């Protein structure tokens, strides 16, 4: 069963068509990388699946649950709020700018949602959070505040925060774009490790070498459509389309 | 004035510090929560609500507090005398005892609260709007509800941002309590004026001034302590 089924998604901001007829699947354990020039709609696509934007048309299924469907009259409608909430819990999202909560220390950033949303006991939420933080190499930073951490450390906290809700899938929206080049490596290592552990992931990225290395499937987006897609070997190989080659030349 | 007389004046003014502090305390107690509600109403997506709230803020900030205190104090007695009001209004007005001791105090508190809520509302709105969109999105991506997001993610950050501007308002309020004497509410300034006339001396006024100054100093110290306490993050 596909973890994520996206069919014919479209989205406009005013007269600007950002997404046109996008369809793809993500299987369990698969790592999908989405690449493409700025403004091609990559982030909007992620945000539509994460309910941070509302898609105008198409259908989305997450873990077999209908999130966006066409009703009898052919209108595109979202699932009822409680269903949307259930679906949202299945997907974790890591932002480009981390968006950590600055007034909470690292530990509380990670435990806030499990305690408030999943109604977990504080002690068990903290136990699990500490486990995640050690996996991220941040065991000794649990009492620190986000402003005291480097960008790479902040991004690792935000990955731990997303994992704390035990999502089925993890989305990354340009996770290294706000980082110094020296710090991108530590984030890519963490994502690499998650991929090895079998985490299903969708990664919007400008790190071509990384996409090639870690992804099972790559989508190249341009002007709101999927311009090219395939395995990394296909897209980064000699048989890629002219446009893909042209785009990749810059990296 | 002799030392004995000065001591007497200090004692009298100290007694009237209580009504001054009552206006100060009750105004804060009511105007801060009301200001938060007004701020949220002004940011409402329902346009008429936002417009009406904005009009209220404009009027409250655009007219003198002294005038508002006078209106609050005389409105009900005046309306009682007027004819042709609907009967439910007459009944409502009849239920207010304008001769009771608490009426004057209540009128003062109503005027001060409505006025200060407008100022606080603008401070709080600025604070709420300064929180980056990413904070709401991060909370939403973690499946937090709107209420959880507001109280646990947004509000704590807003409080930190509005403390400096709010302490300014609070210090102004200490001094503004003297405006209550316009409807003969007996507080420090009014008593100081009476003592000035009694003794033909400016000393009572200086003593009253020293009281206000001391209160403002205490508030300044408190606000800088609070600011420091909230400085554990950036």
């Amino acid at each position: 069963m596909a973890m994520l089924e996206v069919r014919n998604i479209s989205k406009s901001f005013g007269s600007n068509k950002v997404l046109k007829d996008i369809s793809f699947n993500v299987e369990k354990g698969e790592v999908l990388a989405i690449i493409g020039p700025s403004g091609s709609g990559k982030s909007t696509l992620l945000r539509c699946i994460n309910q941070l934007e509302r898609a105008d048309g198409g259908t989305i299924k997450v873990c077999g649950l209908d999130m966006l469907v066409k009703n009898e009259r052919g209108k595109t409608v979202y699932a009822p709020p409680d269903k949307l909430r259930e679906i949202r819990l299945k997907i974790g999202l890591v932002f480009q700018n981390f968006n950590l909560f600055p007034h909470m220390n690292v530990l509380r950033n990670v435990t806030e949602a499990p305690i408030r949303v999943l109604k977990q006991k504080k002690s068990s939420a903290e136990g699990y959070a500490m486990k995640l933080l050690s996996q991220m190499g941040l065991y000794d930073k649990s009492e620190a505040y986000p402003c005291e951490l480097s960008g790479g450390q902040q991004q690792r906290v935000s990955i731990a925060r997303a994992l704390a809700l035990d999502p089925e899938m993890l989305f990354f929206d340009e996770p290294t774009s706000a980082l110094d080049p020296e710090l991108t490596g530590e984030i890519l290592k963490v994502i690499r490790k998650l991929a090895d552990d079998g985490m299903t992931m969708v990664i919007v990225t400008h790190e071509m070498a990384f996409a090639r290395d870690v992804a099972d499937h790559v989508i190249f987006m341009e002007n709101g459509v999927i311009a090219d897609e395939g395995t990394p070997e296909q897209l980064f190989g000699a048989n890629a389309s002219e446009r893909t080659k042209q785009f990749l030349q810059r990296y | 004035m002799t030392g004995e007389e000065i001591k007497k004046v200090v004692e009298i003014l100290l007694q009237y510090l209580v009504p001054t502090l009552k206006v100060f305390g009750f105004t804060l107690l009511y105007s801060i929560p009301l200001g938060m509600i007004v701020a949220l109403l002004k940011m409402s997506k329902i346009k008429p609500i936002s417009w009406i709230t904005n009009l209220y803020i404009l009027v409250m900030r655009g007219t003198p507090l002294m005038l508002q205190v006078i209106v609050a104090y005389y409105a009900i007695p005046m309306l009682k005398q007027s004819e042709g009001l609907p009967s439910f209004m007459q009944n409502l007005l009849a239920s207010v005892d304008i001769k009771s001791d608490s009426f004057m105090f209540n009128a003062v508190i109503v005027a001060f609260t409505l006025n200060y809520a407008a100022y606080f509302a603008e401070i709080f709105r600025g604070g709420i709007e300064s929180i980056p969109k990413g904070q709401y999105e991060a909370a939403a991506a973690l499946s937090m509800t709107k209420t959880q997001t507001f109280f646990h993610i947004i509000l704590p950050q807003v409080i930190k941002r509005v403390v400096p501007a709010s302490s300014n308002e609070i210090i102004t309020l200490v001094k503004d309590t003297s405006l209550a004497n316009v409807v003969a509410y007996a507080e420090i300034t009014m008593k100081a004026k009476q003592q000035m006339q009694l003794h033909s001396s400016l000393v009572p006024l200086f003593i009253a001034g020293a009281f206000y100054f001391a209160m403002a100093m205490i508030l300044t110290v408190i606000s800088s302590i609070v600011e420091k306490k909230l400085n554990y993050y950036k």
Side-chain angles (χ1 to χ4, degrees):
Chain A
M1 182 190 75
M3 298 280 276
L4 177 65
E5 293 177 55
V6 176
R7 291 282 167 279
N8 316 108
I9 286 295
S10 62
K11 166 79 184 168
S12 305
F13 291 115
S15 61
N16 182 17
K17 284 190 175 175
V18 191
L19 298 176
K20 307 165 203 163
D21 202 29
I22 302 272
S23 301
F24 65 92
N25 275 9
V26 179
E27 303 296 326
K28 192 169 173 56
E30 185 182 337
V31 177
L32 169 69
I34 304 178
I35 60 172
S38 299
S40 57
K42 311 180 295 290
S43 291
T44 308
L45 178 60
L46 271 201
R47 293 168 61 85
C48 281
I49 303 168
N50 251 293
Q51 307 171 31
L52 292 176
E53 304 283 356
R54 299 229 129 193
D56 301 330
T59 63
I60 299 174
K61 245 185 191 188
V62 177
C63 302
L65 300 166
D66 284 317
M67 177 177 133
L68 185 66
V69 291
K70 262 198 166 56
N71 68 7
E72 314 83 60
R73 290 191 208 138
K75 246 183 98 181
T76 305
V77 288
Y78 275 84
D82 52 332
K83 189 90 170 281
L84 284 180
R85 221 169 119 77
E86 187 192 342
I87 292 169
R88 192 169 230 170
L89 279 169
K90 299 199 178 293
I91 307 176
L93 176 61
V94 175
F95 296 88
Q96 179 179 346
N97 299 317
F98 333 130
N99 292 336
L100 291 176
F101 305 130
H103 58 302
M104 297 178 178
N105 67 20
V106 165
L107 186 62
R108 257 198 76 195
N109 261 283
V110 180
T111 59
E112 185 70 6
I115 291 171
R116 301 222 186 268
V117 177
L118 301 182
K119 312 289 176 207
Q120 284 180 9
K121 274 214 191 82
K122 195 170 175 235
S123 56
S124 68
E126 285 184 348
Y128 189 48
M130 288 311 289
K131 202 180 127 204
L132 289 170
L133 287 173
S134 355
Q135 278 172 21
M136 299 291 149
L138 293 167
Y139 189 83
D140 54 337
K141 294 287 181 197
S142 65
E143 300 292 320
Y145 283 87
C147 63
E148 299 162 351
L149 302 177
S150 73
Q153 290 170 327
Q154 290 191 48
Q155 191 59 298
R156 282 183 278 153
V157 173
S158 88
I159 294 171
R161 180 175 72 172
L163 287 171
L165 288 171
D166 258 329
E168 304 279 332
M169 250 181 295
L170 210 47
F171 284 15
F172 292 85
D173 187 4
E174 300 193 24
T176 58
S177 296
L179 298 177
D180 289 340
E182 311 106 78
L183 298 177
T184 57
E186 62 185 73
I187 298 305
L188 298 182
K189 228 166 81 190
V190 166
I191 300 174
R192 161 101 258 170
K193 176 80 172 48
L194 288 168
D196 292 344
D197 292 346
M199 190 75 197
T200 312
M201 293 187 282
V202 178
I203 308 166
V204 170
T205 185
H206 289 294
E207 296 287 329
M208 294 308 151
F210 175 70
R212 179 179 195 161
D213 183 42
V214 83
D216 302 304
H217 193 84
V218 181
I219 285 177
F220 171 49
M221 271 183 77
E222 189 168 44
N223 299 323
V225 297
I226 296 179
D228 201 359
E229 66 176 312
T231 61
E233 291 75 30
Q234 288 168 335
L235 246 77
F236 295 98
N239 298 326
S241 74
E242 277 312 306
R243 178 64 191 110
T244 309
K245 278 183 185 159
Q246 197 192 352
F247 170 73
L248 289 173
Q249 247 172 22
R250 276 180 283 152
Y251 289 90
Chain B
M1 280 176 81
T2 64
E4 198 55 35
E5 280 174 331
I6 289 173
K7 209 179 142 217
K8 192 89 210 278
V9 171
V10 169
E11 272 165 20
I12 290 171
L13 291 187
L14 262 178
Q15 268 174 31
Y16 284 90
L17 187 61
V18 177
T20 289
L21 288 175
K22 262 171 78 185
V23 172
F24 174 74
F26 280 99
T27 302
L28 277 191
L29 186 68
Y30 298 135
S31 65
I32 289 178
L34 183 63
M36 191 42 110
I37 294 167
V38 173
L40 294 174
L41 288 178
K42 187 173 172 181
M43 292 188 295
S44 166
K45 287 194 188 93
I46 306 162
K47 284 289 161 213
I49 291 181
S50 169
W51 291 333
I52 292 167
T53 315
N54 201 25
L55 184 68
Y56 156 76
I57 292 171
L58 282 174
V59 170
M60 285 297 153
R61 302 211 306 173
T63 58
L65 175 55
M66 192 188 272
L67 203 64
Q68 293 163 13
V69 173
I70 298 170
V71 170
Y73 183 60
Y74 288 105
I76 290 176
M78 292 279 197
L79 283 172
K80 274 194 171 197
Q81 285 175 4
S82 61
E83 283 154 37
L85 285 175
S87 59
F88 79 93
M89 284 267 288
Q90 280 174 359
N91 292 339
L92 202 69
L93 288 169
S95 68
V96 182
D97 179 7
I98 54 173
K99 293 204 174 67
S100 73
D101 288 342
S102 62
F103 177 71
M104 180 190 286
F105 178 72
N106 290 341
V108 167
I109 293 299
V110 165
F112 270 74
T113 299
L114 292 178
N115 179 280
Y116 269 80
Y119 282 95
F120 281 126
E122 284 299 77
I123 294 173
F124 296 161
R125 185 180 58 89
I128 293 171
E129 286 177 350
S130 72
I131 304 296
K133 214 173 108 216
Q135 292 290 304
Y136 293 91
E137 290 185 347
L142 293 167
S143 297
M144 293 176 77
T145 63
K146 285 207 165 122
T147 317
Q148 286 171 338
T149 305
F150 182 74
F151 283 104
H152 301 295
I153 308 301
I154 306 303
L155 192 58
Q157 298 184 54
V158 170
I159 289 172
K160 179 185 161 88
R161 291 179 191 216
V162 301
V163 160
S166 300
S167 23
N168 246 337
E169 279 307 312
I170 293 170
I171 289 167
T172 307
L173 172 60
V174 168
K175 296 171 287 171
D176 274 359
T177 54
S178 63
L179 291 173
N181 88 67
V182 71
V183 291
Y185 178 78
E187 43 68 68
I188 291 185
T189 301
M190 181 189 228
K191 283 293 148 184
K193 219 166 92 191
Q194 286 173 2
Q195 293 295 314
M196 168 192 82
Q197 283 153 356
L198 191 70
H199 298 282
S200 301
S201 161
L202 285 175
V203 173
L205 296 186
F206 287 124
I207 296 170
F211 279 11
Y212 286 111
F213 187 79
M215 289 189 282
M217 280 303 112
I218 291 167
L219 288 169
T220 306
V221 170
I222 291 174
S223 91
S224 68
I225 290 171
V226 172
E227 269 181 57
K228 238 181 229 147
K229 275 228 151 173
L230 289 172
N231 239 348
Y232 64 89
Y233 72 90
K234 278 197 194 78

